[in-house]
Amino acid sequence: LWAGVVLWSLMSCAIPLLVWRISRRLIDHRAAAIAGALTALWPLLIAYGGFFLSEIPSITVLLGSILCGLKAGESSGRRRLLFAGLAGFFGGAAIVMRPQLGLNMLIVAWVLLRKRERWRPLAVAAAGGLLLPIVGIVSLNWAIADRPVVSENAGVQFLQAHCPVHIAYYGGEF
């Protein structure tokens, strides 16, 4: 449980940093600093940082995917393919946690593929990275539930989809 707390804290702390780095690439550095500071002071981010919900990791990997996509668009050669694969991997992880984030991955794909030079290897790297977490979680869920199940919202649907318990009782005092 402590490892989970540390991981959640690190992801919560990474969100303003990722917002700042993405904003710095897209807009002025002063506006990026303001965006990072406002993100760090956002009450919902602060509140969600203390709970084991899927909002924190899904936002973190989504921002990681966007940052890697921007870096892939700026890079060339093997670095471009590496960043495209990482963008796809983080995007796949975001889709696994929150399937509705798939629309954001279309924007990342547009950023990656807007340059026409050598886009096929880039598309293969991004698609391969994207499919890795999706195929992994679908196969895990299928093996556990004996049917194809896509869990979202972290552990709640995972528990409901895989655990035969329908009612749980708390034996302590309220």
Side-chain angles (χ1 to χ4, degrees), residues 48-59:
Y48 284 161
F51 297 104
F52 289 104
L53 301 173
S54 65
E55 280 78 8
I56 295 297
S58 63
I59 291 171

Side-chain angles (χ1 to χ4, degrees), residues 82-164:
L82 173 70
F83 282 126
L86 285 173
F89 180 78
F90 288 140
I95 291 171
V96 164
M97 285 183 249
R98 294 282 185 176
Q100 63 269 29
L101 294 178
L103 294 175
N104 294 356
M105 293 305 99
L106 292 176
I107 296 170
V108 173
W110 176 77
V111 168
L112 287 174
L113 300 176
R114 66 182 172 194
K115 293 182 182 178
R116 295 287 182 210
E117 60 206 38
R118 297 182 55 185
W119 62 271
R120 284 190 180 124
L122 187 67
V124 169
L130 182 76
L131 289 177
L132 187 65
I134 293 173
V135 168
I137 198 67
V138 168
S139 62
L140 173 69
N141 289 347
W142 200 329
I144 293 171
D146 290 330
R147 65 182 193 281
V149 176
V150 177
S151 61
E152 71 175 74
N153 203 7
V156 176
Q157 272 79 14
F158 185 81
L159 179 69
Q160 291 172 348
H162 300 93
C163 184

